[in-house]
Amino acid sequence: MEDIVSLAKRRGFVYPGSEIYGGLANSWDYGPLGTELKNNIKQLWWKRFVHQRDDMTGIDAALIMNPKVWEASRHLENFSDPLIECKNCHDRFRFAHMSEDVVCPTCGKKGRWTNPKQFNLMLKTFLGSAEEQANVAYFRPETAQAMFVDFKQVLDTTRKKLPFGIAQIGKAFRNEITPGNFIFRTREFEQMEIEYFVREADWKESFEEWRSQMWSWMTDTLGLKKEHIHELEVPDGKRAHYSKRTIDFEYDYPFGTKELYGLAYRGDFDLKNHFKEAPPYRDAETNELFYPHVIEPTWGVDRSVLAVLCDAYAEEEGRVVLKLRPHLAPYKAAVFPLLANKPELVAKAKEIHSALKMHFAVAWDHRGNIGKRYFAQDEIGTPWCVTVDFQTLEDNTVTVRDRDTLKQERIKATELASHIAGKLGEV
Ligand code: GAP
């Protein structure tokens, strides 16, 4: 994990947040390469689950919603963790992580704890200038609620019929008691969520469909190794307050096997709570009014980035290489002039770089020797390195070196973009 955190910082994937002010515990900023990787993940998700399907549509809702939303969704009442407090130093810890006689991790004194108390995880703020109870609002702890609250508006504007889903990508906030493990658990994070609306009779079939979609996303789209992913059927009493069934998809992170994504059957809990007056869905044929049931597949963006980095990181043959699937890589290619002090090579390489940039994100490097430049690109997962040499000036061909096989082939510069596009299409 240390190697991954250090690479992430050194190469500009993820930096500690507010670092020049001594940082802010558990806050992280995505740097240039991390932003590209994260955007690639979000774009692939949107393409796969919204654009390529007829039964999906997307929204982008406000982060702060009317506090009544959280009353109706029962988050104010239930979205909490039991905490115990050390009677000596008054620091608080999650009850689930402690036993009666454990030594306090903060002050080192043994076994003097208060009884567990519920601590709400929603991040509070005040709207307007007065910090009064009347002005209390909450940053959303899940993106999901907007899909329920906007359900009728989406229905009216899109004329979707069951089964259909609403997708959203966006930030969520939780006042986590024990954040940590790099970007695994933070107080501000991003989710990609789908609320998929079905008839009650169809929930099991839909649950299974989304279960296999999630597997395919993890193994085919992200390229995570199957053996690193495990399903956990969350037992009664351990599920979120709204869920009738939950499967957690766990990943083998270097710090342990922990949750990556979740799949829940929320029944009609949320729509019933928000549309108390009348059911929000009318069957076009039978005219029957009813509450659709909900299957909710949910993906953490930051945990996706983390799992992808962990799975891709390798040290081999004296080099560090991120074996990212090419469509996830921050740069699809890098272009180098063989020698930086030969203006004709640099000019030709610049020309090829500019042309390629119209199609993909492409890096440029002219420093140091070619071997070092290859290593620098391997470390950030660039799948193909293009070198412009003296032969290029004669026959307009370039060398393309493959990150994984280390093989080099000679390609016509004019065919470079379609060559790379073809390779991206294969993977
Ligand atoms: N709407 C359902 C929901 O929010 P969740 O299991 O609480 O379910 C969904 O969260 C996903 O969001 C998790 O599987 C995880 O990937 C991500 N997530 C949750 N809390 C997080 C945190 N504190 N930091 C980073 N990611 C988090």
Side-chain angles (χ1 to χ4, degrees):
M1 194 63 205
E2 268 174 34
D3 292 337
I4 291 167
V5 176
S6 135
L7 172 72
K9 184 173 179 193
R10 184 159 38 85
R11 299 305 310 271
F13 282 91
V14 181
Y15 311 122
S18 318
E19 205 184 19
I20 62 164
Y21 289 103
L24 172 69
N26 301 297
S27 105
W28 301 94
D29 294 342
Y30 285 83
L33 297 186
T35 304
E36 295 293 335
L37 171 58
K38 188 154 86 131
N39 282 345
N40 288 341
I41 291 174
K42 291 193 282 186
Q43 281 161 11
L44 283 165
W45 187 89
W46 198 264
K47 186 169 157 196
R48 175 176 180 147
F49 293 120
V50 182
H51 288 173
Q52 292 181 344
R53 296 178 61 126
D54 295 328
D55 58 348
M56 293 287 307
T57 191
I59 61 167
D60 185 7
L63 301 184
I64 299 178
M65 304 174 80
N66 187 318
K68 285 184 188 153
V69 169
W70 310 111
E71 222 173 283
S73 70
R74 306 279 197 277
H75 277 78
L76 270 172
E77 195 182 317
N78 294 314
F79 197 62
S80 49
D81 268 352
L83 287 196
I84 54 173
E85 191 174 304
C86 169
K87 285 187 178 165
N88 183 53
C89 72
H90 303 289
D91 214 354
R92 293 172 176 183
F93 301 91
R94 268 165 100 166
F95 182 52
H97 292 175
M98 296 289 177
S99 68
E100 273 295 293
D101 57 349
V102 83
V103 164
C104 171
T106 306
C107 70
K109 291 255 160 76
K110 200 176 166 191
R112 294 182 63 238
W113 300 103
T114 60
N115 288 330
K117 267 193 226 140
Q118 290 300 326
F119 175 82
N120 196 290
L121 295 179
M122 282 199 295
L123 208 69
K124 219 185 235 183
T125 187
F126 298 90
L127 297 183
S129 57
E131 291 197 6
E132 287 168 7
Q133 193 56 28
N135 297 331
V136 165
Y138 302 91
F139 286 96
R140 63 185 182 192
E142 58 171 5
T143 65
Q145 287 305 317
M147 278 82 107
F148 302 126
V149 171
D150 292 351
F151 178 80
K152 252 181 94 56
Q153 302 186 80
V154 172
L155 208 57
D156 292 346
T157 46
T158 64
R159 302 182 177 277
K160 292 269 182 230
K161 293 204 176 81
L162 291 186
F164 76 94
I166 310 179
Q168 185 173 201
I169 299 179
K171 290 246 171 167
F173 300 79
R174 297 181 189 175
N175 208 353
E176 297 280 4
I177 320 303
T178 47
N181 284 324
F182 193 34
I183 52 174
F184 174 76
R185 184 176 282 114
T186 50
R187 296 195 171 106
E188 171 184 345
F189 54 96
E190 234 175 328
Q191 295 183 317
M192 306 184 284
E193 293 200 298
I194 292 170
E195 307 306 316
Y196 197 77
F197 301 95
V198 296
R199 285 164 205 279
E200 183 176 6
D202 299 333
W203 82 263
K204 283 190 178 139
E205 195 186 323
S206 180
F207 193 92
E208 289 310 317
E209 161 67 14
W210 282 107
R211 189 179 186 172
S212 71
Q213 286 290 330
M214 292 183 89
W215 270 106
S216 163
W217 163 264
M218 292 184 286
T219 54
D220 304 333
T221 308
L222 295 189
L224 301 180
K225 291 172 197 79
K226 214 173 168 184
E227 62 271 25
H228 291 165
I229 304 162
H230 315 277
E231 283 192 6
L232 174 79
E233 182 78 47
V234 182
D236 287 350
K238 295 252 163 146
R239 288 192 293 271
H241 62 277
Y242 48 72
S243 174
K244 291 186 167 178
R245 183 180 178 196
T246 299
I247 287 178
D248 281 350
F249 293 91
E250 297 193 320
Y251 178 79
D252 295 331
Y253 301 96
F255 47 85
T257 301
K258 295 189 189 296
E259 182 181 337
L260 172 60
Y261 303 140
L263 173 63
Y265 169 43
R266 295 178 79 127
D268 56 5
F269 181 86
D270 301 274
L271 288 181
K272 261 197 172 146
N273 285 331
H274 291 304
F275 296 91
K276 290 195 183 73
E277 311 276 292
Y281 188 82
R282 187 184 292 280
D283 187 291
E285 271 130 52
T286 65
N287 227 11
E288 182 202 359
L289 263 179
F290 64 95
Y291 291 98
H293 280 232
V294 173
I295 304 297
E296 179 194 63
T298 173
W299 292 255
V301 176
D302 312 86
R303 287 189 195 177
S304 304
V305 171
L306 182 56
V308 160
L309 287 177
C310 293
D311 231 68
Y313 185 91
E315 287 176 19
E316 57 181 38
E317 293 160 30
R319 63 176 186 151
V320 168
V321 51
L322 271 190
K323 295 192 168 178
L324 296 172
R325 303 212 72 193
H327 51 204
L328 295 177
Y331 296 120
K332 305 301 170 232
V335 176
F336 313 145
L338 179 67
L339 299 169
N341 58 1
K342 296 282 174 218
E344 63 275 34
L345 286 184
V346 175
K348 183 69 188 167
K350 283 263 181 218
E351 181 192 312
I352 291 173
H353 181 241
S354 298
L356 218 49
K357 273 202 305 191
M358 295 298 121
H359 303 273
F360 322 101
V362 187
W364 166 269
D365 194 359
H366 60 264
R367 295 158 310 165
N369 65 44
I370 286 286
K372 280 198 180 136
R373 292 185 226 166
Y374 283 153
F375 279 17
Q377 295 300 324
D378 287 347
E379 216 180 38
I380 60 171
T382 308
W384 298 290
C385 288
V386 176
T387 304
V388 171
D389 55 21
F390 292 106
Q391 194 182 327
T392 316
L393 302 179
E394 283 163 25
D395 64 7
N396 206 25
T397 62
V398 290
T399 334
V400 178
R401 179 259 200 187
D402 186 287
R403 177 196 72 199
D404 298 336
T405 63
L406 304 180
K407 287 207 175 105
Q408 305 198 10
E409 50 183 332
R410 207 86 209 163
I411 307 279
K412 279 193 186 145
T414 48
E415 289 168 9
L416 204 49
S418 58
H419 176 80
I420 293 175
K423 282 188 179 273
L424 280 167
E426 281 167 21
V427 288

